[in-house]
Amino acid sequence: SFQCCDYVIVLCNETYEMLRDIYGVDENLIYLIPNGIKPLEHPIKRRYDNSTTNIIYVGRIDEIKGIMYLAKAFSIIKKSYANANLHLIGDAENKSYLQQCLDICPDIKYHGRLSHKELDAYYCKSDIGVIPSFHEQCSYSLIEMMSYGLPVVDFIFLSIVAILSFSFLNKNSSFTWSKKTCENLRNR
């Protein structure tokens, strides 16, 4: 179907190479246009609460985003860390999938879609960000989490190296795992 396109726009070099090398798309038809990211102009003031550990996921609540694995991993974490909280923030069009995830661990807090100001408050009080997606081209949530200084646990996906190359991000704050199991997520 790429042969029917006049042009293909990609957000990272890894996707460019995949289309060219694996799918055989003519490189003259592929345009790399990275996401424009404006660094934060003011330092973020994080609010720590040593009595709890707040884990945050921001994004669409969908199977491809790995939320079921996250819920299973969190249910295991909760047994050892009773004061841990998992905050899911984002749209959930498939309400039955959301409910399946919440049924795994009733302690998960689902907030739906939030305003930027509300989201800022959750980022500021969070201790860890998590991106359990199976596929991403350029995760804006990952960029946001790292810009708030959060360590991030994520599945390995194509553009992680490209995202980490932004100079204003902390390159030592991301942990990846390639075997997609809830036990591996819990251990990170």
Side-chain angles (χ1 to χ4, degrees):
S1 65
F2 288 115
Q3 282 31 13
C4 297
C5 298
D6 293 328
Y7 301 101
V8 179
I9 297 172
V10 296
L11 301 177
C12 65
N13 195 52
E14 289 77 9
T15 305
Y16 179 98
E17 291 171 359
M18 180 182 63
L19 288 176
R20 183 192 64 206
D21 299 343
I22 296 173
Y23 292 100
V25 177
D26 181 347
E27 67 183 316
N28 294 317
L29 301 179
I30 306 171
Y31 287 88
L32 173 61
I33 304 174
N35 278 349
I37 300 167
K38 181 180 177 183
L40 297 174
E41 295 180 12
H42 306 289
I44 299 297
K45 294 181 181 176
R46 303 272 311 284
R47 294 182 289 274
Y48 291 101
D49 177 357
N50 292 330
S51 65
T52 62
T53 299
N54 288 302
I55 303 168
I56 188 172
Y57 166 83
V58 178
R60 194 174 72 244
I61 311 300
D62 190 279
E63 281 185 66
I64 196 73
K65 298 297 187 175
I67 305 303
M68 188 74 69
Y69 285 95
L70 179 58
K72 289 176 182 178
F74 185 70
S75 70
I76 297 167
I77 290 169
K78 195 70 175 167
K79 290 174 186 172
S80 299
Y81 301 95
N83 291 331
N85 297 305
L86 173 59
H87 300 276
L88 300 180
I89 299 172
D91 290 328
E93 290 181 18
N94 184 341
K95 301 297 184 200
S96 66
Y97 178 75
L98 170 64
Q99 192 57 54
Q100 288 173 17
C101 295
L102 296 176
D103 288 345
I104 290 170
C105 185
D107 294 322
I108 296 172
K109 296 168 176 54
Y110 173 65
H111 303 283
R113 186 180 186 125
L114 301 178
S115 70
H116 183 70
K117 185 176 180 179
E118 292 168 317
L119 181 57
D120 176 69
Y122 277 98
Y123 275 136
C124 288
K125 73 177 186 178
S126 294
D127 301 294
I128 301 168
V130 65
I131 311 271
S133 299
F134 298 122
H135 172 76
E136 293 284 346
Q137 189 176 168
C138 186
S139 172
Y140 194 76
S141 295
L142 173 63
I143 294 166
E144 276 187 338
M145 288 174 186
M146 293 179 75
S147 72
Y148 278 84
L150 293 177
V152 178
V153 178
D154 64 276
F155 277 161
I156 293 175
F157 50 81
L158 285 176
S159 63
I160 185 69
V161 174
I163 292 170
L164 291 176
S165 69
F166 291 108
S167 62
F168 68 94
L169 298 177
N170 180 351
K171 295 178 179 151
N172 297 318
S173 65
S174 181
F175 306 96
T176 61
W177 74 98
S178 58
K179 193 171 183 184
K180 296 171 178 73
T181 67
C182 60
E183 290 80 15
N184 285 340
L185 175 56
R186 176 209 59 211
N187 292 335
R188 294 310 276 162

